Every structure is written in structure tokens, then in C-alpha cells.
Amino acid sequence: MSSELLAHLADVIESRRGADPDKSYVARLFHKGTDAILKKVGEEATETVMAAKDGDAQKIVYEVADLWFHSLVALAQFGLRPEAVLAELARREGLSGLEEFAARKAQQRDAQGV
């Protein structure tokens, strides 16, 4: 159900890309461009942190929903879908977070020729 909901939201977001920016919030974000979209993601991330610091469960859920929504808009801006994120999370399942971090660091070193 949740992956279907994310896919549906991604479809709705994509359908609003060409809409009138005066009538659609999502269209307005796309019209303003990447910087505006990323700024919104940053704002929502900050608001999520502040809600968590307050410890208000309802507020945390509300802000995380905003963060996820704006992250979906950001994904769409780059031609990506939530299924790609879900696939990455599935790939990581069962991996040690510390091992994953060490592997990423090794890949970075290899890419830099160090």
C-alpha cells in the first residue's frame, strides 16, 4: 500500500508539472526551478528537526509528511521516482550501517585515485 501511495503521489506531482503556476503549488515550484525546490526541502528538513526537538508526535508526523512530499517534488525535478529510493532502501536492508558507510568511503577513495 505505501509504495503504491508514493507512486500515486509521484504521478500526481508529475501531472502538475505543466499546470498553471497560479493555480497549482507544485506547478509553481517547478516553474521557480531547482533552487526553489531544494530550498523547500531544506526548510521542511529544518522544521522536521524542530518538531522532533519539541517531542510533539503529531507535529513530527506533519512535518515529515511535508518533507517527504517536497522530496518527491525534488525527485521529479531530476527525473527520478520514489521506486528508485525504495529499491535503494531494499538493497540496504540487512546491511550493517557501519559496513555500508565504510564501503562508501572506500568507493570515494577509489574514485579519487587515493
Side-chain angles (χ1 to χ4, degrees):
M1 171 71 176
S2 56
S3 63
E4 292 170 5
L5 176 61
L6 289 173
H8 173 72
L9 287 172
D11 291 342
V12 170
I13 288 167
E14 192 58 43
S15 75
R16 304 275 166 81
R17 182 185 290 273
D20 182 350
D22 291 330
K23 296 183 180 176
S24 166
Y25 172 73
V26 172
R28 186 177 308 145
L29 283 174
F30 282 128
H31 181 74
K32 289 181 177 180
T34 302
D35 286 347
I37 293 168
L38 298 178
K39 180 179 178 187
K40 210 46 199 159
V41 171
E43 288 173 9
E44 297 304 341
T46 299
E47 290 172 7
T48 298
V49 170
M50 291 173 13
K53 293 283 279 179
D54 291 343
D56 181 336
Q58 185 175 1
K59 208 170 162 185
I60 294 167
V61 169
Y62 181 88
E63 294 302 342
V64 170
D66 279 353
L67 177 59
W68 285 13
F69 176 81
H70 288 90
S71 293
L72 288 170
V73 174
L75 286 171
Q77 179 70 359
F78 292 99
L80 299 167
R81 302 236 349 139
E83 294 85 354
V85 177
L86 294 172
E88 176 61 16
L89 289 171
R91 184 191 71 76
R92 293 180 187 186
E93 185 177 7
L95 294 177
S96 159
L98 296 175
E99 290 173 7
E100 175 73 13
F101 180 73
R104 277 197 310 259
K105 292 293 271 184
Q107 285 176 335
Q108 288 172 348
R109 282 192 304 273
D110 291 345
Q112 294 172 348
V114 175

